[in-house]
């Protein structure tokens, strides 16, 4: 399974904080994003930060996910 977490406004727009997806060989974080973007388009409008297993990733990172991986989607935030 792939554990997907949404934080802050992304979770609010998705209406969920956590989703589990079935693992399959060859899965990348971009595949997870593309699958969930169809289900929650309004949430992915504001996603600007993605982390896999606690490490921030960029669009060029095509690393394969392992079974049990955690993918986090969040928006940029500011605070004080």
């Amino acid at each position: 399974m792939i554990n997907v977490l949404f934080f802050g406004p992304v979770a609010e727009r998705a209406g969920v904080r956590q989703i589990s997806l079935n693992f399959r060989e060859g899965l990348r974080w971009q595949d997870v994003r593309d699958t969930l973007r169809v289900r929650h388009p309004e949430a992915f409008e504001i996603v600007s930060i993605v982390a896999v297993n606690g490490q921030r990733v960029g669009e060029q990172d095509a690393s394969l996910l392992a079974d049990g991986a955690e993918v986090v989607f969040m928006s940029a935030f500011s605070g004080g």
Side-chain angles (χ1 to χ4, degrees), residues 22-38:
N22 288 325
F23 172 77
R24 64 175 166 75
E25 292 294 326
L27 191 67
R28 302 170 303 130
W29 76 263
Q30 293 94 332
D31 300 321
V32 171
R33 177 203 56 205
D34 294 346
T35 296
L36 294 176
R37 184 184 283 167
V38 173

Side-chain angles (χ1 to χ4, degrees), residues 2-53:
I2 302 296
N3 189 37
V4 181
L5 302 173
F6 300 109
F7 287 110
V10 176
E12 291 171 14
R13 287 185 179 208
V16 65
R17 296 197 179 280
Q18 183 173 344
I19 294 174
S20 294
L21 297 175
N22 288 325
F23 172 77
R24 64 175 166 75
E25 292 294 326
L27 191 67
R28 302 170 303 130
W29 76 263
Q30 293 94 332
D31 300 321
V32 171
R33 177 203 56 205
D34 294 346
T35 296
L36 294 176
R37 184 184 283 167
V38 173
R39 295 183 201 172
H40 307 286
E42 60 286 340
F44 281 87
E45 290 175 354
I46 61 170
V47 169
S48 58
I49 300 169
V50 180
V52 175
N53 297 325

Side-chain angles (χ1 to χ4, degrees), residues 9 49 75-80:
I49 300 169
S75 63
F77 54 89
S78 61

